[in-house]
């Protein structure tokens, strides 16, 4: 598939997009499908001339289209710029290595030339993690050709996978009956290396929430050499090397492969929607469920507005989707107790079923977003995690900050831990034509300030990138920043690895 | 309680020790209780004169007894030297700060004087983590006076605890009904700060195995300032600062307090002993149980010899203890399915009960060890973790290496992960009188070489310290060591923090 220079997926059909816009406006009252603005057609003239010649490496190119499709991630901030044909920050070069030798060659060339390298997997960052937002030349190191499952250990249930493998590539490469069970919203394009570099959040709403929990070992290439940890189910030998790479966002090394823990495909699955008339009661139910020790695979609470938009809710009830899955045993005992717990808070269980409505909407969402720029809708999502004692005040403050923007703001609890939830906020608002980036930046700043002030983290699973950087700098301990900077300088003395993220 | 200068706990009663020796010999055939060697009596003359004067800080002392009891950890290697009155490596000074200000003052003084600081909690390291095994003066920074539970958040079920709090101090400081549920064998003396610094292993045989999983945030003081992470149930903001301190063994900073996730005291508890005639079948049962998604709180497999020594086993059957606990729901469904799984491998379930025999033996063990030097028994424990595919070969090789020593070698699977077990080996052998340290070092080297060669980690939960250091250096990725060294240099430019561990 040739990916669009601006959209999620292949170049969208124009009439299809306008139909999405019409339906969206019907459902939300937002957007102006009649004043439709078409996307800028691709032209090589949209791109600045490369600042450096192509190096004598077979995997490198300066083809304008290849540069254009790798200019941005998938934030609305990115979407609107690509839509308008703004590729000012395009990388000068794109490298598409097929193996680790080619990765090493690219890094050696870049270190010698002092050219910054931005590693890229599926390019689905929504935080500016893959944008060469700095002066001077840059190279995009795209791992997508390194996308194989190299080895499977069925006894230990683990698989060695190349970093450029997307969600479908991982699961297609596993033997029948095994799955990674990691389904972020970006599943179709995002990659193993990207998940690890950003500490992505996946399928499970409790327990194995982040990719961190599924990583058995990581291999990365830095200018200082190959960093490969031992395959181990657990260890107490010093600080975990894998945990240094998890969340390193390309700043410490280029992740090339990893051993991941895989699962048997579940044969027992139950999912029950539970309706609540009141949001606080629904939150209390999730709190109790999160502390019950039942660890449901799904435990996602949609507020009334989000349930109406994405799951056919009635607009008056919050909906909690409680799910259990197992390849080993029926989950009835788990489901029964979970429904008792949420029932004690007034939750009314619907018919147990596969939650296709929500899941379908979840995976379709990136395609719906393609229609936003044309119809004049601005979108932003804010996600965090916070302890239960602080959640009510944080929730109120974030909703208030989002309400300063005209439009509609919704919340879901995406993950639930014993000590706190990870709420996920979505705002959809009329775009200020021509000033969308400034509008988005203002919104980001207002809400991020609130999140930090109220005790949350600047990101639970979207990563830091360049958009969250100022807030991350306020969140992290100062001596940790000092240590991280020193570690990076030792691994990457030329400072070529994704400059601007983290440090 | 005044702790003995050599033994676990207070100074043991001489006749009691000899009675333990007699019973031990009766049970194992090991040891010579008739040729009893008494411990060296404490005398200030056993200690070298301090190399530096006491600094003008009220929390510091050079009292010989205070120095003697803080010379070693609790490895057999330590026990035998203290028993014989060898305190050559005693710290020159002991600091017993009451608060963070005093910790800071000590670090400032030490940095100015260039005096190495060895942080110490309960002093229960079995890997030389708390021994000043280097030339020149040294200071032992003992956190044991900082031992309070400072704050409890019952809504989020978390508690802020000072680093010097021991297991009992943590639980005694929690409100009724809340417990940490973290019970290492060293529970009575080991501390929160020590657990975090060494990535200690606790109560749960699956799921929350290490203290890592119970840590919500950490506060540490380094020469570069205070490192304090935000209290968060989960985060994806860069590499986890807490994971840098977990396993840092005092080399990056002095941990002073932490927010820990606590549990409700379980009201439903079931524990079932399951007997297996064959070890491989028992291992296969643990494998399947570990991959079932049931996550038993206890899942400890004792080989026939260990079961006989510690749990009244018949010496012919391996015994698997399967336990579930919950404060929320009866665990019958969990137990039933677990027994089906292990039954399919020929496991025969005994009567369900509290496993008092094993638990009693587990917590009494350090007191039994007190008798080893006097009766001429050498003891060593080796623990690791390895993926399931490699476990049978590793097990065979480790048992063979231990069999080179006369005596008895046993194995238990202490923890079980979906992708591999954490086996724990114990060897008890006749000591070579006067050369016990060399004997122990030789054994450590032989077995550690095997563990590394067969794909294990040099430690699953005992930490690296100084005894595992050569093997750790072979295990860790080289670029990681480079990064860790640079991080330490940035935080601790004078290199005063526990030199010799990790880097």
């Amino acid at each position: 598939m040739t990916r669009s220079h601006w959209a999620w997926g292949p170049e969208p059909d124009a009439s299809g997009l306008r139909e999405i816009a019409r339906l969206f406006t019907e459902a939300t009252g937002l957007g102006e499908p009649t004043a439709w603005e078409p996307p800028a057609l691709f032209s090589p003239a949209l791109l600045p001339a490369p600042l450096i010649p192509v190096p004598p490496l077979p995997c490198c190119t300066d083809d304008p289209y290849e540069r254009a499709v790798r200019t941005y991630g998938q934030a609305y901030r990115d979407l609107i710029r690509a839509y308008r044909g703004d590729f000012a920050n395009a990388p000068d070069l794109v490298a598409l290595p097929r193996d680790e030798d080619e990765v090493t060659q690219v890094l050696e060339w870049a270190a010698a030339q002092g050219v910054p390298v931005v590693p890229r997997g599926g390019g689905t960052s929504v935080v500016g993690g893959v944008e060469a937002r700095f002066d001077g030349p840059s190279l995009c190191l795209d791992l997508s050709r390194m996308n194989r499952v190299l080895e499977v250990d069925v006894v230990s249930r683990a698989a060695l996978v190349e970093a450029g493998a997307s969600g479908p590539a991982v699961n297609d490469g596993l033997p029948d009956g095994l799955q990674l069970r990691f389904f972020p919203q970006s599943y179709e394009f995002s990659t193993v290396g990207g998940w690890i570099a950003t500490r992505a959040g996946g399928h499970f709403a409790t327990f194995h929430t982040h990719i961190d929990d599924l990583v058995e070992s990581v291999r990365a290439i830095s200018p200082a050499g190959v960093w490969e940890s031992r395959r181990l189910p657990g260890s107490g030998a010093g600080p975990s090397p894998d945990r240094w790479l998890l969340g390193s966002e390309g700043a410490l090394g280029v992740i090339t492969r990893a051993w991941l823990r895989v699962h048997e495909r579940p044969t027992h699955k139950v999912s029950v929607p539970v309706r609540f008339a009141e949001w606080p009661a629904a939150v209390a139910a999730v709190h109790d469920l999160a502390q019950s020790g039942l660890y449901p695979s799904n435990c996602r609470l949609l507020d009334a507005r989000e349930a109406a938009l994405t799951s056919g809710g009635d607009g008056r009830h919050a909906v909690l989707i409680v799910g259990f899955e197992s390849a080993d045993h029926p989950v009835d005992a788990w489901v029964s107790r979970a429904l008792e717990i949420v029932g004690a808070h007034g939750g009314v269980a619907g018919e147990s079923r596969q939650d296709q409505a929500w899941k379908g909407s979840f995976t379709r969402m990136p395609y719906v977003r393609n229609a936003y720029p044309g119809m004049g809708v601005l979108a932003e999502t804010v996600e965090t995690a916070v302890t239960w004692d602080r959640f009510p005040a944080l929730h109120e403050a974030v909703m208030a900050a989002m309400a300063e923007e005209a439009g509609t703001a919704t919340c879901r609890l995406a993950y639930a831990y014993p000590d706190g939830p990870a709420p996920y906020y979505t705002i959809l608002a009329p775009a200020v034509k021509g000033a969308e980036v400034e509008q988005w930046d203002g919104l980001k700043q207002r809400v991020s300030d609130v999140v930090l002030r109220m005790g949350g983290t600047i990101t639970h699973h979207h990563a830091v990138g360049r958009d969250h950087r100022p807030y991350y700098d306020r969140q992290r301990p100062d001596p940790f920043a000092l240590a991280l900077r020193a570690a990076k300088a030792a691994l990457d003395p030329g400072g070529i690895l994704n400059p601007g993220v983290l440090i």
Side-chain angles (χ1 to χ4, degrees), chain A:
Chain A
M1 177 216 303
T2 303
R3 284 176 71 178
S4 164
H5 64 287
W6 67 271
W8 183 270
E11 187 64 27
D13 165 73
S15 65
L17 262 192
R18 298 201 59 170
E19 178 62 9
I20 292 175
R22 196 185 60 74
L23 292 169
F24 183 87
T25 300
E26 210 170 277
T28 64
L30 289 167
E32 302 173 64
T34 50
W36 182 259
E37 173 191 338
L41 294 179
F42 177 74
S43 149
L46 294 174
L47 281 94
L51 296 174
I52 34 170
V54 181
L57 299 169
C59 67
C60 290
T61 177
D62 64 357
D63 176 84
Y65 192 81
E66 300 296 344
R67 294 169 56 210
V69 294
R70 291 176 182 84
T71 301
Y72 295 121
Q74 291 285 342
Y76 171 83
R77 193 183 196 287
D78 302 342
L79 181 64
I80 189 73
R81 286 181 294 166
Y83 198 81
R84 296 258 165 79
D86 171 3
F87 292 98
N89 283 343
D92 298 274
L93 300 170
V94 172
L96 290 154
R98 291 179 190 278
D99 56 34
E100 291 190 338
D101 284 348
E102 292 196 339
V103 171
T104 303
Q105 287 163 15
V106 170
L107 289 184
E108 283 173 356
W109 173 86
Q113 304 289 319
V115 173
V117 171
V118 179
R120 186 182 178 97
T124 61
S125 168
V126 291
V127 295
V130 292
E131 181 183 344
R133 207 179 293 171
F134 38 75
D135 295 333
S138 70
L139 178 144
C140 169
L141 181 59
D142 184 316
L143 279 289
S144 60
R145 283 189 183 162
M146 294 168 61
N147 57 11
R148 292 167 304 162
V149 174
L150 297 175
E151 200 179 332
V152 179
D153 170 1
V154 293
V155 176
S156 314
R157 288 210 319 221
L160 176 61
V161 186
E162 288 185 306
S166 66
V170 175
N171 284 324
D172 292 350
L174 293 174
D176 273 357
L178 289 184
Q179 287 191 321
L180 182 59
R181 308 297 296 154
F182 189 78
F183 302 107
Q185 198 162 28
S186 58
Y187 175 76
E188 186 177 357
F189 296 112
S190 61
T191 62
V192 170
W195 300 337
I196 294 172
T198 62
R199 302 180 68 192
H203 172 69
F204 296 106
T206 71
F207 197 178
H208 292 314
T209 53
H210 285 97
I211 192 72
D212 310 29
D213 304 311
L214 305 178
V215 167
E216 194 181 70
S217 88
V218 185
R219 185 172 156 99
I221 298 179
S222 76
V226 175
W227 170 321
E228 180 171 22
S229 64
R230 197 166 266 237
R231 274 191 70 194
L232 292 171
S235 181
S240 161
D242 295 341
R243 297 278 182 175
W244 283 45
L245 292 177
L246 280 155
S248 62
E249 304 199 8
L252 302 183
V254 177
I255 295 162
T256 55
R257 52 177 73 172
W259 276 94
L260 300 177
R261 301 185 178 111
V262 299
H263 293 83
E264 272 186 84
R265 186 193 293 263
T267 44
H268 305 274
K269 284 174 75 173
V270 175
S271 182
V272 184
V274 181
R275 301 199 316 167
F276 290 87
E278 303 292 339
W279 172 252
V283 171
V286 173
H287 167 274
D288 286 6
L289 200 46
Q291 295 188 347
S292 68
L294 293 168
Y295 295 105
S297 53
N298 204 350
C299 179
R300 290 191 164 91
L301 173 63
L302 318 179
D303 71 8
R305 181 94 184 119
E306 179 146 335
L309 286 176
T310 65
S311 308
D314 62 12
R316 289 175 296 114
H317 289 84
V319 177
L320 173 65
I321 300 159
V322 182
F324 290 90
E325 62 175 52
S326 173
D328 179 72
H329 47 263
V331 293
D332 310 270
W334 285 250
V335 174
S336 302
R337 177 57 194 149
L339 294 183
E340 275 177 25
I341 290 171
V342 300
H345 292 281
V348 178
E351 205 147 326
S352 82
R353 54 170 170 85
Q354 286 308 308
D355 51 323
Q356 294 304 346
W358 184 78
K359 204 151 63 182
S361 156
F362 183 70
T363 52
R364 263 196 324 274
M365 185 51 68
Y367 290 98
V368 174
R369 291 171 73 251
N370 287 341
Y372 292 168
M375 68 194 295
V377 168
L378 174 139
E380 165 60 337
T381 56
V382 172
E383 37 86 60
T384 184
V386 67
T387 48
W388 287 112
D389 60 319
R390 293 171 176 164
F391 172 66
L394 175 139
H395 179 70
E396 193 177 334
V398 170
M399 291 301 277
M402 297 184 96
E404 288 177 33
E405 204 75 34
T408 179
T410 64
C411 176
R412 67 171 178 267
L413 301 192
Y415 301 89
Y417 299 92
D419 52 339
Y424 191 103
Y425 297 93
T426 302
I427 186 161
L428 299 168
V432 179
K433 280 271 175 178
E436 290 91 345
V437 170
E438 294 73 14
Q439 183 187 4
W440 190 91
D441 287 348
L443 176 63
K444 170 68 84 183
Q445 184 181 333
R446 279 201 306 283
V447 181
S448 298
D449 280 340
V450 169
V451 164
L452 282 196
R453 194 175 71 242
M454 303 309 288
T457 172
I458 192 60
T459 177
H460 173 269
H461 59 275
H462 281 175
V464 175
R466 293 169 177 85
D467 297 336
H468 284 153
R469 180 62 200 285
Y471 315 101
Y472 174 68
D473 284 4
R474 284 156 53 189
Q475 174 176 335
R476 67 187 176 189
D478 285 340
F480 172 71
L482 193 72
L484 184 59
R485 197 169 292 120
K488 180 179 170 64
L491 294 166
D492 174 25
I496 60 165
L497 288 174
N498 215 7
V501 297
L502 296 184
I503 38 183

